[in-house]
Amino acid sequence: MVSSIYQPFKNFDFKYENCFLSGNTFNTPIIQTNVLPAWLLEMANFSGDEQIQLLDETIRSYNSLKVPVNEEVQTHFIEPLEQKIAAAFAIGYEAVSQLDEADLFRWIGKFLYSLIYIEMHAAVGQQQLSSDGLNMSQGLMHKFGNLQTMIQGIYLNVEFEEFTPWSIVIVPMEKEEVSFSFRDEINTLTFSLKLKNFGIIACLQDNGTNKKYHQEILDQISSQPLTEQQFEELSARFFYSAYLFNRLPEYTIMPVEGSIYIDAMPLRGTMNKPLFDVWQHKTYAQVLENFWKPWGNLLMEIRKDPNNPTSYFNPPSLPETD
């Protein structure tokens, strides 16, 4: 089925003419599909008229966020994945925690890549992105391209050779019904979501390093239910450490007889410095203030003691600083 890999970043294929996932592999009509699926909006009691600000500062409603997809890909591959995730989300933590992480990775990856596609389309339209002039780092393009290749596992057999490219954490919440929210950081491919009685945090291209970085606090909380403030604090730690992660993962990608085989190159490479830049409580406190906005925690309160930022965990088990 596949002799070459669809790579939209090579010719900036973000014009809503080909399938965002497979290119033009299938000879079926191109339709447009919502980035936020109807089942998720319904579960969250959202109308779809809620708004989001994109990187170009345009304001869009959730329902207006769409990407092009082959009808066959949508019907036979994306919809079954959506149904699997929706069924687990409807039950809550017990079912979500039992999901195959690869399925969750593909679902979150599809969501984030869809947003990237929309941002790329806008950039091409504004002539900020072209084969002649490129207003985006090559490293970022490389990272986005790798994610797009990896989520082709939705419709193809994609094999990760003895590694997983992601860190995914699923936690139970104290409340049976928390208010739905999601957060994403495209540059670091980091994502969080909370709904019903569970929360999810994911770093999609770190080869599992962020999860190892926060292993102390993860071991401490184990499977104990978290308050919403604790979940947002844990999310803030992952979002900040993803920013501190100073490697661009490299992969060997090989298409063979309808499958794609992906092998990870060693993260350390020729660099002697640690995988993460030094954790700074001062900067982390600024991240935390943003995550705690619903509760009105002010920056001056969070870093009242500069060496011990406010924490809802006891002990805080924060990463060490210099």
Side-chain angles (χ1 to χ4, degrees):
M1 183 178 171
V2 147
S3 57
S4 63
I5 301 170
Y6 173 53
Q7 296 178 301
F9 287 88
K10 284 198 168 179
N11 60 354
F12 308 116
D13 184 11
F14 305 103
K15 300 174 183 176
Y16 280 77
E17 295 171 357
N18 295 314
C19 175
F20 83 109
L21 192 60
S22 67
N24 55 5
T25 301
F26 296 84
N27 295 318
T28 53
I30 297 292
I31 60 174
Q32 292 198 19
T33 185
N34 284 5
V35 174
L36 278 90
W39 66 262
L40 182 59
L41 293 175
E42 183 180 347
M43 211 174 280
N45 293 319
F46 278 19
S47 67
D49 294 327
E50 293 79 10
Q51 295 182 325
I52 185 172
Q53 183 172 337
L54 302 181
L55 294 180
D56 64 1
E57 298 189 350
T58 58
I59 306 294
R60 300 275 298 274
S61 71
Y62 288 164
N63 276 339
S64 73
L65 299 175
K66 297 176 184 288
V67 289
V69 62
N70 281 106
E71 199 167 31
E72 186 171 340
V73 172
Q74 177 69 21
T75 301
H76 296 292
F77 300 102
I78 292 178
E79 286 182 6
L81 175 62
E82 292 286 353
Q83 289 165 7
K84 187 183 291 187
I85 302 298
F89 276 27
I91 294 170
Y93 173 75
E94 185 178 347
V96 174
S97 61
Q98 296 302 311
L99 280 169
D100 183 344
E101 278 196 357
D103 284 334
L104 203 48
F105 167 76
R106 293 181 193 117
W107 184 79
I108 296 170
K110 177 182 70 69
F111 177 84
L112 275 186
Y113 181 70
S114 295
L115 293 177
I116 290 168
Y117 184 99
I118 290 168
E119 300 281 10
M120 288 292 179
H121 172 74
V124 169
Q126 295 167 7
Q127 298 182 328
Q128 294 175 354
L129 185 67
S130 71
S131 53
D132 299 321
L134 191 60
N135 189 22
M136 179 170 288
S137 81
Q138 292 288 343
L140 211 50
M141 300 268 286
H142 189 64
K143 189 190 296 186
F144 293 166
N146 283 338
L147 176 65
Q148 201 278 343
T149 298
M150 290 172 180
I151 63 170
Q152 288 180 48
I154 292 171
Y155 77 100
L156 280 175
N157 180 43
V158 173
E159 297 281 349
F160 300 114
E161 304 273 42
E162 298 183 1
F163 85 105
T164 52
W166 62 79
S167 291
I168 292 178
V169 174
I170 303 166
V171 297
M173 305 295 293
E174 276 188 1
K175 289 183 180 177
E176 280 302 308
E177 288 289 340
V178 298
S179 54
F180 169 71
S181 67
F182 71 89
R183 190 184 296 264
D184 63 83
E185 170 48 59
I186 286 177
N187 289 350
T188 58
L189 296 179
T190 310
F191 171 88
S192 68
L193 173 151
K194 66 179 191 293
L195 178 68
K196 288 186 176 287
N197 65 345
F198 66 89
I200 300 171
I201 304 168
C203 303
L204 297 189
Q205 207 168 116
D206 69 346
N207 297 358
T209 53
N210 279 281
K211 196 168 182 178
K212 291 176 184 172
Y213 187 76
H214 296 290
Q215 199 60 57
E216 183 180 357
I217 188 66
L218 294 176
D219 288 343
Q220 179 181 318
I221 63 177
S222 187
S223 59
Q224 75 180 51
L226 303 185
T227 64
E228 291 190 68
Q229 292 98 320
Q230 286 176 323
F231 174 73
E232 295 299 342
E233 179 179 342
L234 188 63
S235 297
R237 295 186 189 202
F238 272 83
F239 274 72
Y240 180 47
S241 67
Y243 167 77
L244 296 177
F245 182 57
N246 58 36
R247 298 297 199 275
L248 178 65
E250 295 281 354
Y251 305 98
T252 302
I253 300 173
M254 183 74 66
V256 181
E257 297 180 353
S259 295
I260 298 175
Y261 294 88
I262 302 178
D263 195 11
M265 306 296 284
L267 282 174
R268 294 203 173 273
T270 57
M271 301 175 71
N272 292 322
K273 68 176 184 177
L275 296 178
F276 293 87
D277 292 334
V278 176
W279 181 281
Q280 302 282 354
H281 286 328
K282 182 178 179 180
T283 309
Y284 163 66
Q286 293 173 327
V287 176
L288 195 53
E289 181 191 32
N290 190 43
F291 279 68
W292 277 347
K293 270 185 180 175
W295 298 279
N297 300 64
L298 299 176
L299 182 60
M300 60 182 295
E301 296 168 350
I302 294 170
R303 60 181 192 198
K304 189 174 182 180
D305 179 346
N307 297 316
N308 295 287
T310 303
S311 174
Y312 283 94
F313 294 108
N314 187 19
S317 300
L318 280 162
E320 292 182 3
T321 63
D322 270 3

